[in-house]
Every structure is written in structure tokens, then in C-alpha cells.
Amino acid sequence: MRNFRHLTKTEIREIYTGYLTDEPKLAIARRIGIDNSTVHYHINKIKNLPEAEVIALITPPCQRCEHISFKCLVCGRPSDNIKSEQLQTIRDLRGQVATLERRLLKYENNTTFSSSASGPIAIVSC
């Protein structure tokens, strides 16, 4: 028995993009990891539309929105582009940076700078 799931908007855009670039339908299905009949279904929905309308379907609603969590100046809608996985990754990386900074502080306290250098270059000895 098959397991069905709804496609994301990104996956549907990938189908349309593959269709416009004349990529074989079977190749689109394999690349996205979906059934070939699903690709045929979505392509049949847009097959008779003018190319300009298909391109409008591919284009995200607001291309200028590169903000993280602000109100869009173009369309006026509030938006939050950080997904929960990305937010967790940011938190993990911040924790790693804090750990590394603490480790560096240990070594910075033990570092001595040589003031005998005649030029603007300081010599650091560890």
C-alpha cells in the first residue's frame, strides 16, 4: 500500500520548473522523490496555461523579502522566514561559539606579548 503526502509549494515549483526546462517527467519524479503520476497530475493542471502564467506560479509571491522576521516593505505582510529546524541550528551554533570563546579566554589570559619588538608588529609567545 502506498503512503501519500501533500507536496510542499517548493516541490510543486520544482515540478513546474522541470516542465518549463523540458526535463523528462520521470526524471522530475525521481529528483523530487515522488511518484510519476503525481508529476503528470501537476503538469496537466498547468499544461494549457500561457507560459507567463506558469512563470508567475513559479515565482515566489514576494521576491524582495529576504528579511528574517520583519514586515515586508513591498507587500506589507509580516513574515518570519526562519523555520524551526533553522532556529534550532542557530541556537546550537551560538552555543558552540560561546563554548569556543570560553576556551579562547583561557589561552588569552596566559598569553604574553613581547614589547621588545622595534616595529608595529607584536610577537606572541604561547
Side-chain angles (χ1 to χ4, degrees), residues 72-85:
C72 175
L73 298 175
V74 177
C75 64
R77 292 183 302 180
S79 178
D80 188 1
N81 289 338
I82 295 182
K83 297 178 181 165
S84 60
E85 304 93 32

Side-chain angles (χ1 to χ4, degrees), residues 15-35:
I15 293 172
Y16 296 161
T17 304
Y19 171 70
L20 286 178
T21 59
D22 295 327
E23 183 179 1
K25 295 175 183 104
L26 187 59
I28 296 170
R30 287 182 179 157
R31 180 172 45 91
I32 299 174
I34 57 176
D35 192 51

Side-chain angles (χ1 to χ4, degrees), residues 3 15 21 23 39-40 46 48 52 67-68 76 85 108-109 120:
N3 291 330
I15 293 172
T21 59
E23 183 179 1
V39 174
H40 283 277
I46 63 161
N48 297 325
H67 51 276
I68 302 298
E85 304 93 32
E108 287 178 355
N109 292 337

Side-chain angles (χ1 to χ4, degrees), residues 46-60:
I46 63 161
K47 186 169 39 176
N48 297 325
L49 293 177
E51 190 173 324
E53 289 184 28
V54 176
I55 291 174
L57 290 172
I58 293 172
T59 308

